[in-house]
Amino acid sequence: FASLSMSFCHFSICVLLFFSIVLFHTVGFASLTAKGKTKPYIPARPLITGLHLAMSADSADIIMRRIALRKNILTVDSLKLIESDSVRIFGEPAYLQVQILRNKVRTIVINFHPLSGDHYINTCNTLTQYLERAFGRGVMTQDASVTYRRWENEDGTMEVSYSDKYTRVFVRLGKQ
């Protein structure tokens, strides 16, 4: 008789445990989950040597460590600048500056070193094709020997400006 009462006690504990789990799941978890709140989908932003806008500061620092021979970090108030003049982008040497605000990459500035002949033409063409693939045709203006191109998303979140003059190419991703 003692073993029967012991097994009944185990059975009743299991039943109570089961019902408490079911009750907690239907009442407790339902109140803890956010109803109908999902994060909006943000399309992938174009990568420049692994860097893109809105990536975390830690990730940007790791990538800069990997791609730059040397770099300088400057922190001013809430803005952090990571700069390097020893980066290769599209196979060409360039100066790269990453501006970080609130632990997110806000702006990427690329200034190619003076390029000669085919290097200049190929870099301009490659960059134009790459940015047009990501943003469309954009707006192009010309002022004497300088060509300006601008792209902006419909919601105004990202702006790309690109200018070239003689052998210099300058790219800026991010709002001013």
Side-chain angles (χ1 to χ4, degrees), residues 62-153:
I62 290 169
I63 289 173
M64 284 295 286
R65 243 184 279 146
R66 195 185 75 221
I67 64 172
L69 296 175
R70 59 188 172 271
K71 67 177 181 171
N72 295 325
I73 298 174
L74 175 67
T75 305
V76 180
D77 294 330
S78 61
L79 183 69
K80 179 180 177 183
L81 300 173
I82 304 175
E83 302 177 322
S84 177
D85 64 347
S86 60
V87 178
R88 293 190 80 75
I89 299 173
F90 299 127
E92 299 298 334
Y95 161 83
L96 180 69
Q97 182 187 74
V98 179
Q99 298 174 8
I100 298 172
L101 185 66
R102 293 186 211 103
N103 272 342
K104 297 285 183 192
V105 173
R106 178 180 158 235
T107 306
I108 300 171
V109 177
I110 304 163
N111 192 354
F112 286 92
H113 295 313
L115 303 168
S116 62
D118 288 342
H119 294 278
Y120 170 72
I121 293 168
N122 291 339
T123 301
C124 288
N125 290 340
T126 303
L127 192 57
T128 300
Q129 289 172 359
Y130 183 72
L131 293 174
E132 283 181 353
R133 200 174 328 130
F135 298 110
R137 296 279 300 166
V139 177
M140 184 172 125
T141 58
Q142 212 162 5
D143 179 22
S145 61
V146 181
T147 304
Y148 299 100
R149 292 178 179 85
R150 287 176 40 95
W151 292 269
E152 189 169 324
N153 285 350

